[in-house]
């Protein structure tokens, strides 16, 4: 009466596409204050797809994230918060066990500066 009915598990598997996992990781990382963007290139030995590398074995995932951080950010705190947010998002949304979230701070965002007029040489069009 009014209780929740329990159903027998339905046989089969649920597979989450790697691109979906990358989207979850990207969104979680970008929500952390101090993160400017993800580094979208290969960094040393890290082959990255849009700043994220995933290794999924059965129901376990290992994540590598390359970040570009803002210069005023406390890098260690930003990295720790990204680890926590990425792990939480993956667990909550997919049910996967998160084995590790490795962070690489690949760069620091610097303000883009316009052409300098101090030298007196300006390009004419």
């Amino acid at each position: 009466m009014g209780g929740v009915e329990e159903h027998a598990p339905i046989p089969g598997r649920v597979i989450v596409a790697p691109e979906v996992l990358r989207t979850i990781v990207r969104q979680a990382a970008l929500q952390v204050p101090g993160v400017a963007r993800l580094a979208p290139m290969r960094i040393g030995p890290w082959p990255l797809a849009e700043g994220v590398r995933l290794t999924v074995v059965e129901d376990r995932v290992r994540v590598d994230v390359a970040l570009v951080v803002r210069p005023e950010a406390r890098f260690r705190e930003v990295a720790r918060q990204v680890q926590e947010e990425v792990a939480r998002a993956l667990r909550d949304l997919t049910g996967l066990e998160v084995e590790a979230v490795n962070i690489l701070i690949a760069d620091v965002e610097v303000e883009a500066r316009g052409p300098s007029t101090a030298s007196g040489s300006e390009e004419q069009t």
Side-chain angles (χ1 to χ4, degrees):
M1 275 192 340
V4 177
E5 286 186 42
E6 289 192 33
H7 297 276
I10 299 171
R13 289 186 67 172
V14 174
I15 299 172
V16 180
E19 187 53 41
V20 172
L21 297 175
R22 274 195 280 291
T23 298
I24 292 168
V25 170
R26 260 193 317 274
Q27 289 179 347
L30 291 172
Q31 290 178 9
V32 173
V35 174
R37 63 186 179 279
L38 273 58
M41 62 199 97
R42 180 182 185 97
I43 308 288
W46 290 36
L48 303 167
E50 299 177 34
V52 178
R53 180 173 67 178
L54 298 166
T55 306
V56 181
V57 177
E58 295 184 17
D59 289 338
R60 295 187 323 260
V61 64
R62 183 179 197 88
V63 183
D64 299 315
V65 184
L67 303 175
V68 177
V69 296
R70 300 190 189 286
E72 70 278 4
R74 299 179 82 155
F75 297 178
R76 186 178 295 251
E77 289 177 21
V78 169
R80 186 175 27 97
Q81 192 172 356
V82 169
Q83 286 175 314
E84 291 171 3
E85 290 301 316
V86 165
R88 181 199 53 75
L90 286 169
R91 275 192 309 266
D92 290 354
L93 296 172
T94 67
L96 291 171
E97 177 186 329
V98 179
E99 219 172 65
V101 178
N102 300 307
I103 304 295
L104 170 66
I105 297 178
D107 204 354
V108 178
E109 183 178 65
V110 293
E111 288 186 29
R113 296 183 181 170
S116 173
T117 57
S119 67
S121 61
E122 291 186 28
E123 208 174 278
Q124 294 183 0
T125 53

